[in-house]
Amino acid sequence: MSASRQKKVYLPTSARKNQFITVGFPLTDEFVNHYDNIDDCYREFSHLVFKLAEEFELYNVHVVATDKLPVVRYHAESYCFPTQEQLRFFYNPAHHEANRLHMTSGYRAKKLKIVFLSTGTELRNNAASFHAKIQAFNNALKPMLPTQSLAIKVRDHQHISYDFFAKNKGNKESYAYKLRVLNNRYQRRECELPEDVSSLNYVLITLPVGRKLKNQLLDDTATDYNSSYQALCDNFIEAAKSKQLTKLAVIANGKVPLVRNSKFDELNSTDEFQVIGFDPNISEHKPVCHWNHDEVAEVIRFVVVAGKEDVIDEGYGRFMNQVEEAMRKFIKQYTFDKEHVDLTIRFHQHLSYKA
């Protein structure tokens, strides 16, 4: 492969893009006491948010007062499913718009959060302008709030996801991506960010464990799957390290991996989330593996986190090529029905800062 091709990754044209931005702050007594009761606080605040969002041409906006973590995925239809810890948004950015308040009457949230879902058809091309709109919205909102001492934080989340077996299903066409660093991409499009920005880039690979794969991975006659899971993890780690990928995790306990920068964030796992921490500035990390020894996982998730050493020419194209090469080496050890099994690869780009 030529040097220029190594800097780009060729993804199927069927790849899906998502972007959502959250603006949140702790719900202080000073803020709440401005209203008659907590329900009025939520309703009046959301009314202000939705009216202002319309002025800034932001058309899919949610106010979350339940302390649930927003999770956003593409879907042809629009749904919002709450779990105990998550607020799962499914939508098609090209078609779906919404203004909705998510609250439980009488419940005092720890934080108030505004979730902006990107709309349109060219999400990556318009990502900087979308972020700039949120910045302008935020600047207009601040003077309207009952207190000016709020610790507001902005988080920008971008995903691009695709089926690793897309070609086996007849999706032959591909498109080249350099996957530029968000800070640089925004700066080139005149969207200025503060100097103190935290960023994290990683890949989440989702492998469903069907009957045929389960028979290859796990001894179905056993009551303890420790050795089977350990062998699986060892095979993945060996394949990844052969491609110079060292920040790795394997999650097979039914929980959703939640990747955090260990330099800044607390790493407390929950019933639904397996929180794993990596410092992108540290080159070596001990692989993280979690499974339940007495259960067969329905889904196995692999995480590969990018560090500073994984960026060339301001992009993650080479890094993604390394991830794909590692997965090819890993899956060679197993038999897949590639025409029917979806091996989903999702590249995450996150940044956050105090507004």
Side-chain angles (χ1 to χ4, degrees):
M1 184 182 293
S2 67
S4 61
R5 284 181 62 85
Q6 288 178 352
K7 297 176 182 178
K8 299 177 182 179
V9 60
Y10 289 81
L11 306 183
T13 54
S14 56
R16 303 294 190 186
K17 292 95 174 176
N18 284 107
Q19 182 184 14
F20 70 100
I21 298 175
T22 64
V23 175
F25 54 85
L27 193 56
T28 63
D29 290 339
E30 183 182 2
F31 189 96
V32 172
N33 291 339
H34 182 77
Y35 304 92
D36 291 337
N37 55 64
I38 193 66
D39 290 5
D40 284 349
C41 170
Y42 298 151
R43 293 191 181 100
E44 291 185 33
F45 176 72
S46 62
H47 178 74
L48 172 63
V49 166
F50 298 147
K51 183 179 179 181
L52 191 60
E54 186 76 19
E55 296 178 15
F56 285 91
E57 300 179 334
L58 299 164
Y59 299 129
N60 203 328
V61 183
H62 301 256
V63 173
V64 179
T66 57
D67 291 326
K68 298 181 188 294
L69 184 71
V71 177
V72 179
R73 297 291 183 263
Y74 174 90
H75 200 279
E77 298 183 53
S78 180
Y79 299 101
C80 181
F81 293 124
T83 70
Q84 191 67 30
E85 300 177 15
Q86 303 173 57
L87 198 56
R88 301 183 65 87
F89 296 97
F90 297 86
Y91 84 117
N92 182 340
H95 302 299
H96 297 140
E97 301 175 356
N99 284 339
R100 184 175 173 185
L101 167 63
H102 304 266
M103 60 169 280
T104 300
S105 181
Y107 174 74
R108 166 80 179 265
K110 297 177 182 177
K111 292 183 179 180
L112 262 182
K113 188 173 292 184
I114 312 169
V115 181
F116 301 89
L117 306 183
S118 182
T119 55
T121 56
E122 298 292 333
L123 300 193
R124 289 189 71 83
N125 289 339
N126 296 326
S129 61
F130 179 58
H131 192 103
K133 281 185 181 181
I134 306 303
Q135 290 177 322
F137 168 92
N138 202 30
N139 291 335
L141 177 65
K142 285 180 180 179
M144 300 180 182
L145 299 177
T147 175
Q148 304 301 304
S149 59
L150 297 171
I152 298 176
K153 192 159 191 177
V154 176
R155 298 180 185 269
D156 190 328
H157 305 258
Q158 294 183 40
H159 315 149
I160 184 165
S161 57
Y162 60 99
D163 178 13
F164 193 54
F165 299 144
K167 288 184 178 179
N168 301 91
K169 299 178 178 68
N171 299 317
K172 304 293 186 181
E173 295 184 6
S174 62
Y175 185 84
Y177 293 86
K178 291 192 74 171
L179 300 176
R180 294 189 182 278
V181 177
L182 289 187
N183 309 51
N184 298 323
R185 178 147 52 100
Y186 282 10
Q187 187 175 11
R188 291 182 180 185
R189 303 203 176 194
E190 299 181 351
C191 176
E192 296 298 328
L193 298 174
E195 291 185 6
D196 189 16
V197 173
S198 174
S199 64
L200 192 62
N201 303 269
Y202 64 93
V203 176
L204 175 61
I205 303 160
T206 303
L207 175 64
V209 182
R211 176 177 53 86
K212 292 182 180 180
L213 185 58
K214 181 179 71 174
N215 291 337
Q216 298 175 72
L217 296 178
L218 305 169
D219 180 2
D220 206 24
T221 63
T223 58
D224 188 300
Y225 302 106
N226 266 327
S227 59
S228 297
Y229 282 128
Q230 188 63 62
L232 172 78
C233 290
D234 290 344
N235 289 341
F236 171 72
I237 292 167
E238 180 184 357
K241 287 190 173 181
S242 73
K243 303 303 176 181
Q244 294 77 52
L245 302 170
T246 59
K247 301 178 182 66
L248 309 169
V250 181
I251 309 300
N253 58 5
K255 297 184 180 184
V256 177
L258 195 58
V259 184
R260 291 288 184 256
N261 189 324
S262 59
K263 184 177 179 180
F264 300 106
D265 297 301
E266 295 182 6
L267 306 176
N268 298 318
S269 295
T270 67
D271 291 339
E272 296 185 15
F273 292 107
Q274 186 68 58
V275 182
I276 50 180
F278 293 89
D279 185 344
N281 297 314
I282 297 177
S283 58
E284 291 292 334
H285 273 270
K286 183 179 179 180
V288 177
C289 299
H290 292 280
W291 63 73
N292 294 329
H293 70 92
D294 57 349
E295 293 181 4
V296 177
E298 295 182 0
V299 175
I300 298 174
R301 296 179 173 92
F302 306 92
V303 179
V304 185
V305 178
K308 286 186 174 181
E309 69 278 8
D310 296 309
V311 188
I312 60 169
D313 289 352
E314 304 174 346
Y316 290 96
R318 185 185 67 174
F319 168 73
M320 285 300 296
N321 281 319
Q322 290 172 293
V323 171
E324 289 199 349
E325 290 168 6
M327 287 308 298
R328 288 190 188 95
K329 182 175 182 178
F330 170 70
I331 64 177
K332 276 184 180 179
Q333 303 169 74
Y334 310 101
T335 301
F336 288 89
D337 183 359
K338 298 179 182 179
E339 294 182 2
H340 298 94
V341 172
D342 287 349
L343 179 61
T344 303
I345 295 183
R346 181 175 291 110
F347 177 57
H348 292 246
Q349 289 183 282
H350 296 176
L351 61 82
S352 62
Y353 57 87
K354 294 179 181 179

